[in-house]
Amino acid sequence: VLTTYGMLLRQPWLQALDWRLVILDEAQAIKNPASRQTRAIKKLKATSRIALTGTPIENRLGDLWSLFDFLCPGLLGSASRFKDFVKSLAAGESDQYAPLRNLVRPYILRRLKTDKTIISDLPEKTEVHAWCGLTRAQAALYRKEIATLATSLETLDGMQRRGLVLACLMRLKQICNHPSQLLGDDRYDPGSSGKFSRLAELCEEIASRQERMLVFTQFREITSPLAVFLNEQFGQPGLVLHGGTPVKQRKRLVDDFQKESGPPFFILSLMAGGTGLNLTEASHVVHFDRWWNPAVENQATDRAFRIGQRNNVLVHKFVCQGTVEEKMDALITEKTALANEL
């Protein structure tokens, strides 16, 4: 039986059978042990279990616990006991996570796309930071937002306080992209955004080499302004894909981009276009705004860096200096180091 995670919730007979083997593809789908989907998966009765994932740790070590709760229930103890175990390891001096690594290693078969014994002809991938400054308009809005937050936090507590902080983080990220994204005035003057200026410089280099690019953003509302801006930079239109793009149209967009004479750029929303697409005609990947999760960014990058890619892939990670984006970048680096250590 081949089925989806969502369908498992609607077909109870799947949980009534005794299976010889259950295989989870994209197994990070069960990283949240409290979700209905995860609980349904863990009710499946099977002699053997396999989980396939490129991102066993997306946000925290609890992701790994949930995977092993499916694969080898009891190996890592209960969720609360595992949490205490991880806390004690984190307090160590060097190579803190060696005991956990040794515990799970016998159950993990890992392969890397960069391993030449697996794919001998895959080109190189290079990741670089594209540092951007804030314009005066951005800096003024940013300071105003910070001041408003500081005043509001004095009178709030609990969930209200957390909600306010999350909302403010989102607004700060919008300001870093372009003031008009926060203001909603639809003007999108390129000179008002440090990122738009940096993107223009990048387009000049890419166009001069007749190369092509993917641009990822988490915000659907900025895909159209970016498309208009890049159209001016390249002198020809590109493609846009986001959550509102009809499923039938997705394949046509991918086919159009993959043609030898295809458009120079493809703008994709991170969640709609970050998986399941083969876009190897691009040799540049731009993360216009950063996501909290390095695994999600890597999945998006892998739309270009995959089997069939003939050119070296250059990944440009846009970061506004002196803003929350710098802190996000540090957090992403920490999460990546943790995953690699395990």
Side-chain angles (χ1 to χ4, degrees), residues 80 93 103 111 119 121 125 153 164 225 227 232 245 253-254 259 263 274 304 309 318 328 340:
S80 58
E93 287 295 315
L103 195 58
R111 68 172 205 170
I119 308 170
D121 60 348
K125 176 180 76 170
L153 285 178
L164 184 70
E232 292 170 3
T245 306
L253 289 171
V254 171
K259 289 176 186 169
Q309 178 58 264
F318 279 38
M328 285 179 66
N340 289 337

Side-chain angles (χ1 to χ4, degrees), residues 225-284:
L226 278 172
V228 171
F229 177 68
L230 292 178
N231 187 351
E232 292 170 3
Q233 300 304 310
F234 284 102
Q236 56 178 303
L239 303 170
V240 176
L241 185 152
H242 50 63
T245 306
V247 174
K248 288 180 181 175
Q249 203 176 324
R250 283 171 64 104
K251 187 178 186 308
R252 184 176 62 75
L253 289 171
V254 171
D255 290 344
D256 287 350
F257 187 78
Q258 287 294 92
K259 289 176 186 169
E260 200 172 327
S261 57
F265 66 89
F266 198 164
I267 300 165
L268 307 104
S269 71
L270 193 63
M271 291 308 168
T275 54
L277 303 178
N278 186 12
L279 300 167
T280 50
E281 284 300 311
S283 54
H284 291 263

Side-chain angles (χ1 to χ4, degrees), residues 118-189:
I118 293 167
I119 308 170
S120 59
D121 60 348
L122 192 69
E124 298 295 321
K125 176 180 76 170
T126 306
E127 300 187 355
V128 296
H129 285 93
W131 298 105
C132 310
L134 293 179
T135 62
R136 283 187 179 182
Q138 284 175 300
L141 266 179
Y142 198 95
R143 282 195 296 269
K144 184 180 175 186
E145 192 65 43
I146 294 292
T148 303
L149 175 68
T151 306
S152 303
L153 285 178
E154 290 173 7
T155 58
L156 295 175
D157 55 16
M159 287 303 291
Q160 279 186 315
R161 185 185 179 93
R162 291 174 68 182
L164 184 70
V165 169
L166 284 172
C168 181
L169 284 172
M170 192 63 74
R171 289 196 292 272
L172 293 177
K173 287 175 74 176
Q174 290 175 320
I175 293 167
C176 288
N177 280 357
H178 197 291
S180 291
Q181 192 182 344
L182 179 74
L183 299 173
D185 59 15
D186 215 23
R187 288 168 62 186
Y188 285 97
D189 170 26

Side-chain angles (χ1 to χ4, degrees), residues 12 23 25 28 34 46-47 93 113 118 130 155 157 161 244-245 248 257 273 287 320 335-336:
I23 301 174
D25 190 23
Q28 66 274 11
T47 311
E93 287 295 315
K113 196 176 289 182
I118 293 167
T155 58
D157 55 16
R161 185 185 179 93
T245 306
K248 288 180 181 175
F257 187 78
H287 290 287
C320 278
K335 287 182 179 180
T336 304

